[in-house]
Amino acid sequence: MQETPINVQRGDAIERPVLSPRVDILESETEIVLCADLPGADEDAVRLSIERDTMLLEAATRLPAAEGEPLAVEFGDVLYRRAFLIPKTVDPDGISAELRNGVLRVRMPKNAQPRARRIEVQAIQ
Amino acid sequence: MVSPITERTLFGLGGLGRRMAHLFEEADAGATPFGSWTRLNAWDAGPNLVIRAEVPGLSERDIQLTIRQDVLTLSGERNVDPPEGYSAHRRERASTRFSRSVRLGVRVDADKAVAIVKNGILSVTLPKSAEQPPRQIPVKAAS
């Protein structure tokens, strides 16, 4: 899979904490849906890559710049990173994702039928 | 649920937090514990106070902001329950009704406050009220 670099305008030189984002994983008859809280991440700073049966989610936040004298600081820029095992019932080519209000929603359609493979047994002459 | 994030690993600003504690303190007794809904950053930016909060999944319709005297209350509700026909394998995200109040330490002009939400981050700009001139209270002698 072709990799696009995570676009980080600032903070590249800063060592940022790596966080495992909180996720929900839901399943219906037709799809598996993964929802991840990624507050502060822009659409172009989210990367989903799939290699074999593993999907890697990475997202760099780009919080608005600090202003003035800090009174309270409870969160900062982070790199979200978490890997998931994709079940064999999922068609990797059909995976789609959208980011809305800081939540990434990854939809993974399930194959209509599991790919059954028939292996011919040949008689040895 | 305990967040994997701690203030120490993120910032190490315990000293600053203590120093500022009397300027910007939790105004409600049942304050949201650190790491759950919702985390706040705040700055004194001269004429304005700037407050930012993590609110992933919430749109402008889901967030209420109220200002009473110098207390700002941020509240809202997030529903991430599985829709009909879906079962949950893993649920780490909270469906929550949250409220957090902070004492700002200064009066602000609520009418001129501006709040926007983008990428799950709420940004609130609160212009400080003009300083009230000090008033002399005459002291009378008891007759």
Side-chain angles (χ1 to χ4, degrees), chain A residues 17 22-28 31 35 37 40 42 65-67 69 71-76 82 101 103, chain B residues 3 10-11 20 34 39-44 50 52 57 78 85-87 89-93 100 119-120:
Chain A
R22 293 181 184 210
V23 301
D24 288 345
I25 299 174
L26 311 177
E27 181 169 7
S28 73
E31 65 174 355
C35 299
D37 281 346
D42 226 24
E67 302 188 27
E69 167 122 8
L71 302 176
V73 183
E74 297 178 349
F75 64 98
R82 193 160 175 184
N101 295 330
V103 176
Chain B
S3 163
L10 267 181
F11 302 107
M20 295 297 172
F34 186 79
R39 295 192 299 185
L40 299 176
N41 289 348
W43 295 269
D44 184 339
V50 177
R52 300 220 171 90
R78 181 169 92 149
Y86 286 79
S87 58
H89 290 284
R90 190 175 278 273
R91 295 203 61 189
E92 300 168 355
R93 302 164 65 239
R100 194 164 173 197
N119 291 336

Side-chain angles (χ1 to χ4, degrees), chain A residues 4-9 41-47 60 62 99, chain B residues 119:
Chain A
T4 50
I6 287 183
N7 182 2
V8 183
Q9 282 181 339
D42 226 24
E43 197 178 84
D44 58 1
V46 176
R47 182 170 70 188
R62 195 182 302 145
L99 184 72
Chain B
N119 291 336

